[in-house]
Each structure stands twice: as structure tokens, then as C-alpha cells.
Amino acid sequence: MRIYKVGGAVRDRLLGIPVTDIDWVVVGATTEEMLAKGFRPVGADFPVFLHPKSGEEYALARTERKSGRGYGGFTFHASPEVTLEEDLIRRDLTINAMAEDDQQNLTDPYHGQRDLEARLLRHVSPAFAEDPLRVLRVARFAARYAALGFTVAPETLELMRQLSESGELEALTPERSWKEISRALMEDQPQVFIEVLRACGALKVLMPEVDALFGVPQPPAHHPEIDTGAHTLSVLQQAALYKQPLTVRWACLLHDLGKGLTPEEEWPRHIAHEFKGLKLIKAVNERFKAPRDCQELAMLVGEYHTHGHRALELKPSTLLELLQSFDVYRRPQRFEEFIAACEMDARGREGLEERSYPQADYLRGAATAARTVAVQPLLEKGFKGPELGEAIKRERLKALKAYKEQV
Ligand code: ATP
Ligand code: MG
């Protein structure tokens, strides 16, 4: 049997980027031989094994053929006769279809190296269209390598467009889609992911609620960039610049969905968009089965981001309601993430990226003030049950009034 490094490890070494995980392909071996060598089988779908010591993935060389809709609709063929070239041709991008032996000899039948130099994300063969997940993968790689100057080859974008129009994207499972989306959002240029999806028509299929934001104007006084879609991309870009976690990035992407529902006669104003957007945010959350913390933050940021921006003008009672809605006493971290999302929203406006955001510290101070209300003295005064709850709220309100006067 012959063993080669493939995929990302080869690509990233040639790009001079640190390699984190290594994928291997094994040519000329059978499952029985792998098992005899101590490899552990994984994955019900394909003949993939884990190395007994390193735990890295070793896949038998295989060919694939489409036999039905979606990811399940694949038949594969793995046997010792399958060549390296045959295995490489089923891969998504030319830059991912190179292999390397232990002497660093490159096998590059589909000119991945040439495309690395040309900074092009190009599909290997027309079979690209057989797995719709590749649309998301290419958009993710575009986001990851945007800083290096990579773009999607026009003919690949065209294939992605055909795939998006074919209805195949609907066959993706939420789990597979979310894995790509969440990884893409964590890249340094997550906005490129959305841009590429939009450019090939996939955004309209996957997240029509986000797609609908493009072409929707906002008041120029607050939003010099005017376009709501452009604003959303900038907010996402700021979130990456400020190294925000996935929860915040997800909330940033979805915070303004309500603006896509505003009747044109009301443009560029978006009355109550925060509230109107909630059902859309919920729908996107559920479509991709986003993790609970992402779902929750997106809903809260959607509903309350304008409160965040108006923090300094809020009455103490409104401020208290905001803190209660976030259960800031038990969930301080979630409130921090809300503040971060609001700040990214404010910075994601053309020409205002550097403007300070005093609301952030003000909100933190308010949370601290409300949190310092001690329960013990109220218990000692004999408050119980719902009365105790009311008493705590009264004390918190007092604390917030004092805070507002003192700031
Ligand atoms: P990363 O740095 O994100 O791990 P990678 O290119 O190694 O990037 P993997 O998901 O680890 O990506 O997959 C390893 C290789 O397997 C890819 O480089 C590609 O050749 C191939 N591959 C993975 N998923 C697909 C797919 N859906 N369609 C075609 N080829 C794929
Ligand atoms: Mg990999």
C-alpha cells in the first residue's frame, strides 16, 4: 500500500500556512489490511480509518458516483485498484486535489499548484455539481483565503449558480450546513462567505431573509452606507476584526432581518424592525439547528439592539427590564455578548468604524449596579415568594436610578 498526504495539509504547506490537521489517502489497500495494521474504522459512509497512534484520518482511495438526491445519494467504490488520480478527481477544488508522498513529491494532476499561484478556487471536474455542500465549502474557503487574494473562478461560480438554481441545496441536512456556516463565520473575513453565497444565488435559497436585506435602504444620517445588506456585511466584518465568538457573529448576521419586511412606502425608516424580525430570526435558527446559545443570543440581539444603542437615554425602569430580559444576574456572559454585538452593529457603518461606543461601559455599569443589590437584607426583613421578587426589583430600580444620576 502507498500512503499520501492529501487535501488541506498539502495546500496549506504550499501556501506557507501552519498545518493543523492532516488527511491521508491510502492507495492499493483493502479494509482487511488496514484492520490488520491496527487502524480503527470510523464513519458508516466511507472506508475511513483512524491511525492507531496519531488518530489522524486515513481514507482508502475511492471513486464516487451520484445515485440520488443529497448527500446520501452517493455510491462509492473503494478497492486496491483505485488510483491516486481517480481519488483526487472526486475532490472539490484543484487546490484541495493534490497529494504528497513522504518525500514531499507532489502529485498534482489537476493543476492545483497553478491555481494556488493564480489565487483561484476552481472546481476539479464537472462532478463538483454532485454534492451541493461544495457550494458552502467554496464560499468558506473564499472567506478563509480572501486575505491572500483568492477569488472563485468564474466557471466555478457558474456551476455554483446552477447548483443553487437546481434545488439541490435544499437536500442538505441542517447539520452539514451548520458545520460549514459556523466554520465560515469564524474565519477572518466571514463577510466574504455571505458575498460568495449571494453571488451564486445560494444565499437566496439558504437564507432568503438575509438575501432580502440587499437593496433595502436605511436612513443615511445613521447609516452612511445606506444599504442594509452592506451594513450587515460590515457588522460581520467588525465582529471578526474584534475576534468575537460564534454566538456574537451569528447574532450580528441576523440582527436586522426585520428590515427586510418593511413596506417600501416606509423606507428608509424601519419602524419596529426589531420586533418584526424575531420570527425570521427564529426561522433561520431552526432551519440550521443552530446551537442553543447562538439561537438565544440572536433572538435577544434582534429584539434589543436598539435599546443597546439608546442605553444612555433609557429610563431606569426600561434599563431594569432590559437587564431582567437577559437574566443578567445568572447569565452575565450572555449580556457581555449582547453588548459586543451592539458595538459591532454601531461600528459596522461606513466611516463610523472607529467611533467610540460609550454605551458598552454604561451598560456594564448598569448591570453591576443591579447585581450588587443584596438579597439577604430583604430576607431578614421577612420578604418571601413573589413579594421578595418585587422587593428585589424595587431595590434594583433604586440602584439603577442612583447609577444614572452618578454617571
Ligand atoms: P481544512 O483546513 O478546513 O481541514 P481541508 O481541505 O483539509 O480543509 P477537509 O474537510 O478536512 O478540508 O477535507 C479534506 C479533503 O477532502 C479536502 O481537501 C477535499 O480534497 C476533500 N473533501 C472534503 N469534503 C469534500 C466534499 N464535500 N466534496 C469534495 N471533496 C471534499
Ligand atoms: Mg482537513
Side-chain angles (χ1 to χ4, degrees):
M1 67 175 75
R2 279 155 291 132
I3 297 179
Y4 303 87
K5 252 183 217 174
V6 278
V10 180
R11 177 195 69 221
D12 289 344
R13 185 186 70 75
L14 292 171
L15 283 171
I17 295 174
V19 171
T20 43
D21 90 318
I22 306 182
D23 302 293
W24 305 87
V25 65
V26 184
V27 179
T30 60
T31 295
E32 292 67 34
E33 285 168 311
M34 296 299 283
L35 297 176
K37 283 187 182 292
F39 282 89
R40 283 174 286 131
V42 281
D45 301 342
F46 304 118
V48 178
F49 303 85
L50 296 183
H51 190 277
K53 292 223 177 70
S54 71
E56 285 166 351
E57 274 192 19
Y58 287 68
L60 293 189
R62 67 175 187 263
T63 59
E64 283 173 357
R65 205 163 350 97
K66 192 162 179 62
S67 56
R69 253 175 96 86
Y71 192 53
F74 263 108
T75 48
F76 70 88
H77 168 72
S79 89
E81 285 77 48
V82 175
T83 65
L84 184 57
E85 285 73 11
E86 284 171 332
D87 179 275
L88 293 175
I89 202 169
R90 68 169 173 84
R91 292 169 185 269
D92 48 5
L93 296 172
T94 60
I95 64 166
N96 290 344
M98 298 181 276
E100 197 176 81
D101 67 14
D102 56 2
Q103 311 289 317
Q104 290 199 346
N105 294 314
L106 203 64
T107 303
D108 181 18
Y110 312 108
H111 309 295
Q113 233 183 345
R114 192 174 67 195
D115 287 335
L116 274 185
E117 272 153 35
R119 300 294 195 240
L120 278 176
L121 304 172
R122 188 202 305 277
H123 64 284
V124 176
S125 86
F128 178 92
E130 293 182 354
D131 179 7
L133 189 77
R134 292 170 189 158
V135 173
L136 289 152
R137 280 179 60 90
V138 174
R140 173 165 69 79
F141 284 117
R144 184 190 293 179
Y145 295 119
L148 296 177
F150 276 84
T151 55
V152 181
E155 60 273 30
T156 302
L157 199 66
E158 182 49 38
L159 259 185
M160 291 161 70
R161 182 174 301 123
Q162 288 169 17
L163 254 169
S164 305
E165 279 168 10
S166 73
E168 278 283 319
L169 285 173
E170 280 101 325
L172 288 171
T173 63
E175 290 77 11
R176 281 188 96 208
S177 300
W178 178 256
K179 205 168 148 220
E180 292 300 324
I181 292 167
S182 56
R183 290 184 74 187
L185 290 178
M186 290 313 290
E187 296 291 350
D188 285 344
Q189 310 264 0
Q191 78 284 0
V192 173
F193 176 69
I194 303 295
E195 279 168 343
V196 169
L197 292 180
R198 178 164 177 255
C200 69
L203 192 61
K204 203 185 299 169
V205 179
L206 296 168
M207 299 187 203
E209 302 87 348
V210 176
D211 195 65
L213 301 178
F214 292 85
V216 174
Q218 307 164 102
H222 284 102
H223 283 283
E225 74 287 347
I226 300 180
D227 187 81
T228 311
H231 164 61
T232 299
L233 295 181
S234 300
V235 178
L236 207 48
Q237 192 173 9
Q238 290 297 317
L241 216 55
Y242 281 83
K243 306 278 179 223
Q244 297 296 342
L246 179 61
T247 45
V248 173
R249 296 182 192 207
W250 182 241
C252 284
L253 177 63
L254 305 185
H255 77 285
D256 265 347
L257 292 189
K259 289 183 180 172
L261 293 176
T262 309
E264 276 189 45
E265 315 82 82
E266 290 177 23
W267 285 358
R269 297 188 63 208
H270 298 281
I271 302 149
H273 75 274
E274 302 86 348
F275 181 71
K276 287 192 228 160
L278 291 179
K279 64 172 187 287
L280 302 185
I281 298 173
K282 186 164 182 281
V284 181
N285 270 337
E286 289 174 357
R287 186 173 314 140
F288 298 108
K289 295 192 185 159
R292 181 193 284 264
D293 56 350
C294 288
Q295 294 209 17
E296 266 181 18
L297 191 70
M299 291 294 282
L300 286 163
V301 169
E303 186 164 0
Y304 294 111
H305 60 276
T306 310
H307 278 63
H309 301 325
R310 298 224 181 100
L312 281 84
E313 298 121 62
L314 295 181
K315 291 183 294 185
S317 57
T318 314
L319 209 46
L320 178 63
E321 278 168 36
L322 179 70
L323 297 173
Q324 303 283 100
S325 304
F326 276 84
D327 191 9
V328 76
Y329 320 101
R330 280 185 294 182
R331 305 280 303 271
Q333 183 57 32
R334 186 171 66 177
F335 193 61
E336 267 305 319
E337 292 179 356
F338 164 71
I339 294 173
C342 291
E343 182 169 343
M344 299 306 113
D345 183 20
R347 292 188 186 282
R349 298 180 297 164
E350 200 172 286
L352 302 175
E353 296 85 353
E354 308 292 327
R355 189 185 272 189
S356 69
Y357 192 70
Q359 290 91 329
D361 275 340
Y362 183 81
L363 288 168
R364 283 186 193 110
T368 306
R371 254 200 313 265
T372 38
V373 168
V375 179
Q376 193 57 30
L378 298 172
L379 285 171
E380 279 163 18
K381 279 188 192 157
F383 286 110
K384 283 200 273 300
E387 281 182 5
L388 176 64
E390 285 308 309
I392 296 173
K393 262 174 104 169
R394 266 199 310 278
E395 290 303 314
R396 283 176 179 159
L397 189 58
K398 253 196 251 171
L400 287 173
K401 279 183 181 150
Y403 172 71
K404 198 169 160 62
E405 276 161 27
Q406 157 241 309
V407 171

